[in-house]
Amino acid sequence: MNQPIPFGAGRPTDTDRNDLTDVMRQVAHGDKHAFSALYDALAPLVFGIVLKVVRDRAQSEEVTQEVMIDLWRQAARYRPEAGAVRTWAATIAHRRAVDRVRSAQAATDREHAQAAREHTTAFDEVAEQVETRLESEQVRRCLRGLTELQRQAVTLAYYQGLTYREVAETLRTPLPTIKTRMRDGLIRLRDCMGVTT
């Protein structure tokens, strides 16, 4: 390959424009030597545009290579009447650079979101077990404070999952009496447990 033209080494002339159009036609037909000339002519321009957007030299070099490969692959799509080769290359370079920045930002946002989801307060299993035992002990103590009839009705309903009617049938007691016992028992439990409504 030839030595690259330094970026900003002069304005392209009409002759350069026509030459690059001819070179692009040759590249579209698969001419590797023409692509080498195109690379030498456009790589500094492309790199400069990408670097201004991406602001990281290593990533800018990667994006520049991607743009140059795009120019090789899309050479047949180039239409001289739509604009100069340099303008076309600059447009592709700018789009690729913006895509890289957006992609990097999206990856960073995903990482932050994942970290936030994974960050939870440490779970202390021993403390949880102790708290559960204390609550269970308090419930048992409060149940002992009920009358025998209230305790039976509440135990059947809440620990065995029976309905009011099933509790009444099991204890062979009228349904209104069971409802009253349960209501009174639950009020006493609530007061004993310190639950406020």
Side-chain angles (χ1 to χ4, degrees), residues 10-23 78 80 84-86:
R11 292 217 166 265
T13 62
D14 286 341
T15 307
D16 291 338
R17 180 180 179 152
N18 292 335
D19 289 346
L20 281 180
T21 301
D22 291 339
V23 168
Y78 172 68
V85 173
R86 286 179 182 277

Side-chain angles (χ1 to χ4, degrees), residues 123-136:
F123 177 72
D124 187 344
E125 191 173 324
V126 174
E128 182 71 22
Q129 289 175 355
V130 168
E131 190 175 324
T132 301
R133 281 191 195 137
L134 289 174
E135 287 173 356
S136 296

Side-chain angles (χ1 to χ4, degrees), residues 12-192:
T13 62
D14 286 341
T15 307
D16 291 338
R17 180 180 179 152
N18 292 335
D19 289 346
L20 281 180
T21 301
D22 291 339
V23 168
M24 186 59 83
R25 281 192 195 107
Q26 293 169 10
V27 170
H29 289 93
D31 186 331
K32 292 179 183 177
H33 295 293
F35 179 70
S36 179
L38 184 72
Y39 189 98
D40 291 344
L42 295 180
L45 169 72
V46 168
F47 180 74
I49 291 169
V50 171
L51 185 60
K52 283 182 182 179
V53 175
V54 175
R55 296 177 185 251
D56 176 86
R57 189 166 190 86
Q59 284 194 41
S60 296
E61 289 171 359
E62 287 178 23
V63 174
T64 297
Q65 292 303 316
E66 292 169 8
V67 170
M68 296 312 294
I69 290 169
D70 279 352
L71 292 175
W72 168 261
R73 290 180 179 159
Q74 297 180 29
R77 291 183 175 177
Y78 172 68
R79 299 289 174 255
E81 62 276 3
V85 173
R86 286 179 182 277
T87 305
W88 188 59
T91 302
I92 292 172
H94 187 263
R95 286 181 185 156
R96 273 288 187 150
V98 169
D99 287 347
R100 175 63 65 100
V101 170
R102 286 180 179 158
S103 176
Q105 184 61 49
T108 301
D109 292 347
R110 280 191 303 274
E111 288 171 11
H112 288 306
Q114 181 66 25
R117 282 191 299 271
E118 290 175 358
H119 177 73
T120 56
T121 307
F123 177 72
D124 187 344
E125 191 173 324
V126 174
E128 182 71 22
Q129 289 175 355
V130 168
E131 190 175 324
T132 301
R133 281 191 195 137
L134 289 174
E135 287 173 356
S136 296
E137 182 55 39
Q138 185 180 7
V139 169
R140 281 193 289 275
R141 183 175 45 77
C142 290
L143 278 171
R144 284 192 298 266
L146 301 179
T147 67
E148 181 63 29
L149 297 173
Q150 289 172 338
R151 187 172 38 254
Q152 283 179 334
V154 169
T155 301
L156 288 171
Y158 287 94
Y159 288 103
Q160 294 184 17
L162 301 182
T163 65
Y164 285 120
R165 185 169 303 284
E166 291 168 335
V167 171
E169 290 170 3
T170 302
L171 297 177
R172 295 188 176 133
T173 307
L175 183 59
T177 304
I178 291 299
K179 287 182 177 181
T180 301
R181 285 181 191 168
M182 296 231 352
R183 186 194 72 229
D184 293 345
L186 290 174
I187 289 170
R188 287 178 77 176
L189 274 176
R190 182 192 69 201
D191 293 343
C192 179

